[in-house]
Amino acid sequence: MADDFERRLERLFSEAPELPDCAAFAQGVERKLNRGWQTRRWLIGCAGVTGGVVGASQLVYSNLYQRIETAEDSARALSAGLSQVAPSAEMVSALSGGFGVWVAVGLAVLLLGFALSRVIEEI
């Protein structure tokens, strides 16, 4: 008896009657959603333009061009200094021996540790 009542009650709720103003209600909801999305788009666009203007003004006021020229001069000096440094025979022989193998093994273990932590994080 109770099972029959529950089945009928479940059937009534699963087959709800359609109300006469359901089309108007759906249109009203769609209109509100569209208006909300349009407002969000405008706000995001305004925030982007404002951020771009602020960023551009910061670049202009921070003497960016002078800093770029200084960085170019520093890069030239650094490349000139590095061109004078020649690989020494001691470095090459140290890496070609057993020390280089241990460095490679250590890096492989470190890589496996990072990969394992990433897998654990995904789980």
Side-chain angles (χ1 to χ4, degrees), residues 54-74:
V54 167
S57 67
Q58 291 294 321
L59 287 175
V60 169
Y61 289 127
S62 68
N63 296 326
L64 178 68
Y65 301 114
Q66 181 182 6
R67 289 183 181 186
I68 289 174
E69 289 174 359
T70 305
E72 286 177 356
D73 294 339
S74 298

Side-chain angles (χ1 to χ4, degrees), residues 82-106:
L82 287 177
S83 65
Q84 294 175 356
V85 175
S88 68
E90 294 173 7
M91 280 179 34
V92 174
S93 66
L95 288 178
S96 64
F99 182 71
V101 172
W102 285 110
V103 168
V105 168

Side-chain angles (χ1 to χ4, degrees), residues 8-79:
R8 282 189 308 162
L9 187 62
E10 186 178 325
R11 189 171 42 243
L12 284 173
F13 278 106
S14 67
E15 299 171 5
E18 189 171 307
L19 298 175
D21 65 341
C22 70
F25 178 75
Q27 287 176 353
V29 169
E30 285 182 22
R31 220 174 317 124
K32 285 182 183 179
L33 286 175
N34 287 339
R35 184 174 49 230
W37 280 111
Q38 187 175 9
T39 304
R40 286 185 196 103
R41 280 188 293 212
W42 276 102
L43 288 175
I44 290 170
C46 289
V49 168
T50 303
V53 168
V54 167
S57 67
Q58 291 294 321
L59 287 175
V60 169
Y61 289 127
S62 68
N63 296 326
L64 178 68
Y65 301 114
Q66 181 182 6
R67 289 183 181 186
I68 289 174
E69 289 174 359
T70 305
E72 286 177 356
D73 294 339
S74 298
R76 284 189 200 112
L78 183 63
S79 66

Side-chain angles (χ1 to χ4, degrees), residues 89-123:
E90 294 173 7
M91 280 179 34
V92 174
S93 66
L95 288 178
S96 64
F99 182 71
V101 172
W102 285 110
V103 168
V105 168
L107 289 175
V109 168
L110 187 66
L111 177 68
L112 286 174
F114 284 137
L116 183 64
S117 68
R118 180 66 180 212
V119 167
I120 290 172
E121 181 180 309
E122 293 294 325
I123 294 175

